[in-house]
Amino acid sequence: MTSLPKLTTEFIAQILPNESNAKRVDEQRKDFYLRSYPAIIEIARSKTLNTETRLLQLACATYGWMPTIPKNLLPDIELGKFRLDEVVALKSDGEAREYIEARKKPLINNSWIGTSKMLHFINPKHFPIWDSRIAGTLFGEGTNANSKNRYQEYCKKIHAWNEEDPQYGVPLANAIEKEYRYKPNNLRCIELALFSMSQG
């Protein structure tokens, strides 16, 4: 596995959109991801909508972050088994990992990538975002990112980093706050750094 990069001014500039290349699609995508992030979290926190409506909105918003169109949305909703507030209430990294361990199947689209994003938006403090670029950074190119075991390994590693250096993301969080008026937590900053290390 790789180690975390130092959050130098140059590396933070690589993570944030580059205004001089603002018309490039990848720079627009960076801006969209950072700008839309707190808005998606607000869907999960809304108390004015019922659980099913919030989950469907979250599913659509989650896949707005992805190139894949969702084909099957949250079968647990129909079975009445998914409890959004139960996920919100998880209070430790250990509880989050136990929740993942107990799930036989992903929540959405038969995808652990989509599920990781969905869970993160519901409980950003304990569920890290996972995707193929992070899988490549940590475990090597060609790693199967749609693997529950790999996602669990990633959760364990990123939480260990989070505990070892809870101030790691401060420079990046400050830069994002200055530009976007919200401050991501340390877990999100670590994930952004790992994502940005990828050559994908």
Side-chain angles (χ1 to χ4, degrees), residues 14-29:
Q14 179 184 322
I15 295 171
L16 298 177
N18 185 336
E19 290 183 13
S20 65
N21 293 321
K23 291 185 179 179
R24 290 179 54 185
V25 171
D26 56 343
E27 299 303 312
Q28 293 171 342
R29 186 177 291 123

Side-chain angles (χ1 to χ4, degrees), residues 82-94:
F82 186 81
R83 300 286 183 262
L84 187 147
D85 292 336
E86 180 181 288
V87 177
V88 171
L90 296 175
K91 298 200 184 317
S92 72
D93 306 334

Side-chain angles (χ1 to χ4, degrees), residues 9 39 53 55-56 62-63 66 69 93 102 107 114 122 145 148-149 178 194:
T9 302
T53 299
L55 287 169
L56 289 170
T62 296
Y63 274 77
M66 300 171 69
I69 296 171
D93 306 334
L107 287 172
I122 296 170
K148 175 179 169 179
N149 289 340
K178 183 177 179 181
L194 294 171

Side-chain angles (χ1 to χ4, degrees), residues 101 112 130 139 146-155:
E101 178 61 34
W112 287 105
W130 166 248
F139 303 112
N146 194 30
S147 161
K148 175 179 169 179
N149 289 340
R150 282 298 194 193
Y151 179 51
Q152 288 175 299
E153 286 180 63
Y154 166 62
C155 288

Side-chain angles (χ1 to χ4, degrees), residues 7 9 14 18 33 45 53 56 62 67 76 81 93 97 107 110 114 128 136-137 143-144 149 165 186 188:
L7 286 177
T9 302
Q14 179 184 322
N18 185 336
Y33 283 150
R45 293 179 178 169
T53 299
L56 289 170
T62 296
D76 282 7
K81 291 183 179 178
D93 306 334
R97 289 197 296 273
L107 287 172
N110 199 32
T137 296
T143 296
N144 176 17
N149 289 340
D165 191 355
N186 200 47
R188 170 70 171 149

Side-chain angles (χ1 to χ4, degrees), residues 23-189:
K23 291 185 179 179
R24 290 179 54 185
V25 171
D26 56 343
E27 299 303 312
Q28 293 171 342
R29 186 177 291 123
K30 283 182 189 178
D31 180 70
F32 177 79
Y33 283 150
L34 291 169
R35 195 173 301 282
S36 61
Y37 177 81
I40 299 174
I41 288 176
E42 283 303 311
I43 295 171
R45 293 179 178 169
S46 170
K47 296 299 182 185
T48 60
L49 301 169
N50 66 44
T51 296
E52 182 175 354
T53 299
R54 280 188 287 163
L55 287 169
L56 289 170
Q57 287 180 343
L58 274 173
C60 293
T62 296
Y63 274 77
W65 269 40
M66 300 171 69
T68 308
I69 296 171
K71 302 170 192 68
N72 52 66
L73 298 179
L74 305 164
D76 282 7
I77 290 177
E78 297 174 11
L79 300 174
K81 291 183 179 178
F82 186 81
R83 300 286 183 262
L84 187 147
D85 292 336
E86 180 181 288
V87 177
V88 171
L90 296 175
K91 298 200 184 317
S92 72
D93 306 334
E95 287 181 1
R97 289 197 296 273
E98 286 174 11
Y99 181 85
I100 295 165
E101 178 61 34
R103 291 212 62 82
K104 293 181 180 177
K105 294 182 179 179
L107 287 172
I108 182 171
N109 228 32
N110 199 32
S111 168
W112 287 105
I113 292 172
T115 294
S116 78
K117 290 176 168 65
M118 184 91 159
L119 291 172
H120 178 82
F121 291 131
I122 296 170
N123 190 331
K125 189 175 179 182
H126 298 301
F127 290 99
I129 291 174
W130 166 248
D131 68 9
S132 58
R133 285 182 58 161
I134 294 171
T137 296
L138 288 179
F139 303 112
E141 294 301 320
T143 296
N144 176 17
N146 194 30
S147 161
K148 175 179 169 179
N149 289 340
R150 282 298 194 193
Y151 179 51
Q152 288 175 299
E153 286 180 63
Y154 166 62
C155 288
K156 187 174 182 180
K157 184 66 175 171
I158 198 170
H159 286 308
W161 275 327
N162 190 37
E163 289 175 15
E164 287 168 14
D165 191 355
Q167 301 302 309
Y168 170 80
V170 168
L172 177 57
N174 288 341
I176 291 173
E177 183 180 36
K178 183 177 179 181
E179 183 65 27
Y180 295 97
R181 299 180 185 174
Y182 75 92
K183 208 165 194 174
N185 66 29
N186 200 47
L187 203 71
R188 170 70 171 149
C189 289

